[in-house]
Amino acid sequence: MQDSELLSLARQTAVNAYCPYSKFAVGAAVLWQDDSISVGVNVENASYPLGVCAERNAIANGIAAGSKKIALLAVWADIDATVAPCGGCRQVIYEFVADSDVRVIMGGTSDVSCQTIGELLPNAFTPRDLLK
Ligand code: THU
């Protein structure tokens, strides 16, 4: 699976975003180490804080299907810039990577960028930090 294919899947998925409040549609696609793929969109709520980002929904869908570790993640939004995962999503992505070198592809209508999750979230709080 090429980066462009996963980003294209994220873009196609964004049409299903439920974002009546922000009007900011986001789609995400995750390639897992077991070669399966999951997708997600942002799903907002009339009680605003209950909205969930596309990345976290894509990850939850993959975990529910039995996948364990993320190999590659793509996120796309309908903006003239590349979308940056929010801090909460960076933390959740980190939880499900085997290595901080896992790449995150970020796309918009006219640009694409790529950074590792370690670059996006240096000094992450990890499950290891909970060991006493
Ligand atoms: N959003 C995402 O789903 N992912 C991102 O990476 C950035 C923001 C959503 C949350 C909210 O529904 C809307 O975009 C505006 O913040």
Side-chain angles (χ1 to χ4, degrees):
M1 158 85 44
Q2 301 211 330
D3 292 13
S4 59
E5 290 177 276
L6 199 67
L7 185 60
S8 176
L9 186 57
R11 179 175 50 75
Q12 289 163 35
T13 304
V15 300
N16 294 324
Y18 179 77
C19 52
Y21 310 108
S22 72
K23 315 270 194 244
F24 191 84
V26 186
V30 180
L31 173 66
W32 296 86
Q33 282 188 354
D34 63 9
D35 283 335
S36 67
I37 290 173
S38 62
V39 295
V41 295
N42 53 330
V43 179
E44 298 179 348
N45 193 277
S47 178
Y48 294 169
L50 297 181
V52 180
C53 291
E55 298 92 318
R56 270 179 284 161
N57 277 329
I59 290 170
N61 287 338
I63 294 295
S67 295
K68 304 296 181 203
K69 292 293 178 189
I70 296 170
L72 184 65
L73 186 148
V75 56
W76 187 92
D78 186 19
I79 50 169
D80 189 20
T82 61
V83 64
C86 76
C89 285
R90 294 177 196 206
Q91 179 68 31
V92 172
I93 294 166
Y94 207 104
E95 183 85 12
F96 297 106
V97 295
D99 188 294
S100 61
D101 285 348
V102 166
R103 293 178 303 120
V104 177
I105 306 156
M106 297 160 281
T109 53
S110 62
D111 208 359
V112 179
S113 63
C114 179
Q115 286 182 282
T116 68
I117 187 61
E119 290 169 333
L120 289 169
L121 185 62
N123 302 319
F125 184 73
T126 73
R128 278 192 313 278
D129 295 313
L130 294 172
L131 298 175
K132 295 181 185 171

